Amino acid sequence: SWIDTAGDYGGGESELALGRLLPEVTPRPRLSTKVRLDMSRLDDLEGQIRRSIELSLERLRRDRVEVFQLHNPISATPAAGMIAPHDVLRPGGVADIFDRLRHEGLFDAFGFTGLGEAKAIIEVLDSGRFDTVQVYYNMLNPSAGHAMPAGWHGQDFSGVIDACKRHDVGTMAIRVLAAGVLATDE
């Protein structure tokens, strides 16, 4: 089994609960967690990322997780918590820091949440630096995996799954119930 969480889910409460409950679960589930960067503090990328994984591991009561992911949306022109491909891929950027932390044994693989602009997401995927991506994919917006008909007006993630295939990047579907729209009367 696989459990995905993040340090900012419930202000850390998700990881704390998992840390309390998972020692009783066999077989041991695989875990992924995430870091959401404060974009006003890009001068301390390594500090932010290191503190995030260390706090997550402490809350989860683990010495490592299987996957660690960047949780900020990716955009060519970042705003409101979005990160630019340049800051992910530049020397000393997110990918370099993730490489170092993986080498330290804090996680086996690393990825990112594929939200933001498709072109920017694909730029990061085409770098070949990442092992996984969480892909927005559901019946209301299957654009990450299918060409959409003319006149369609939803957010277009076209090409994301194809880029994952090109680089043998693992995919995890997110928002499969369209934030509840497909599962409720609302």
Side-chain angles (χ1 to χ4, degrees):
S1 63
W2 193 285
I3 298 174
D4 178 64
T5 189
D8 61 350
Y9 291 178
E13 291 298 318
S14 172
E15 290 177 337
L16 285 169
L18 289 169
R20 284 190 307 271
L21 298 171
L22 289 180
E24 301 173 21
V25 176
T26 55
R28 177 189 153 162
R30 295 172 188 258
L31 290 175
S32 56
T33 194
K34 303 174 207 69
V35 57
R36 184 178 306 274
L37 298 171
D38 177 345
M39 298 308 297
S40 69
R41 297 181 40 234
L42 287 179
D43 59 328
D44 187 29
L45 273 178
E46 184 151 6
Q48 285 191 71
I49 293 168
R50 183 174 291 280
R51 280 188 296 281
S52 177
I53 187 64
E54 289 173 350
L55 287 170
S56 288
L57 293 173
E58 182 180 318
R59 288 187 292 258
L60 290 165
R61 300 180 188 179
R62 297 282 173 102
D63 58 357
R64 55 175 277 293
V65 291
E66 282 72 18
V67 178
F68 187 58
Q69 300 175 108
L70 173 65
H71 204 35
N72 296 70
I74 299 173
S75 172
T77 53
M82 295 182 159
I83 190 166
H86 168 78
D87 291 314
V88 175
L89 301 174
R90 67 176 165 80
V94 173
D96 282 356
I97 296 164
F98 279 17
D99 274 334
R100 281 194 296 278
L101 295 174
R102 173 171 44 194
H103 183 73
E104 291 178 24
L106 299 177
F107 44 84
D108 297 328
F110 61 84
F112 65 95
T113 301
L115 293 176
E117 298 170 356
K119 185 177 178 184
I121 293 165
I122 292 168
E123 181 180 343
V124 172
L125 286 167
D126 282 342
S127 74
R129 302 282 310 269
F130 288 83
D131 304 304
T132 65
V133 65
Q134 292 185 299
V135 178
Y136 187 98
Y137 188 83
N138 57 56
M139 291 185 335
L140 298 180
N141 186 341
S143 66
H146 301 283
M148 300 310 290
W152 184 73
H153 297 290
Q155 183 171 0
D156 189 355
F157 290 104
S158 292
V160 170
I161 290 179
D162 286 338
C164 291
K165 287 179 189 176
R166 277 195 308 276
H167 299 287
D168 198 26
V169 172
T171 59
M172 296 173 267
I174 58 171
R175 313 246 172 105
V176 295
L177 298 176
V181 172
L182 295 172
T184 68
D185 293 337
E186 295 180 28

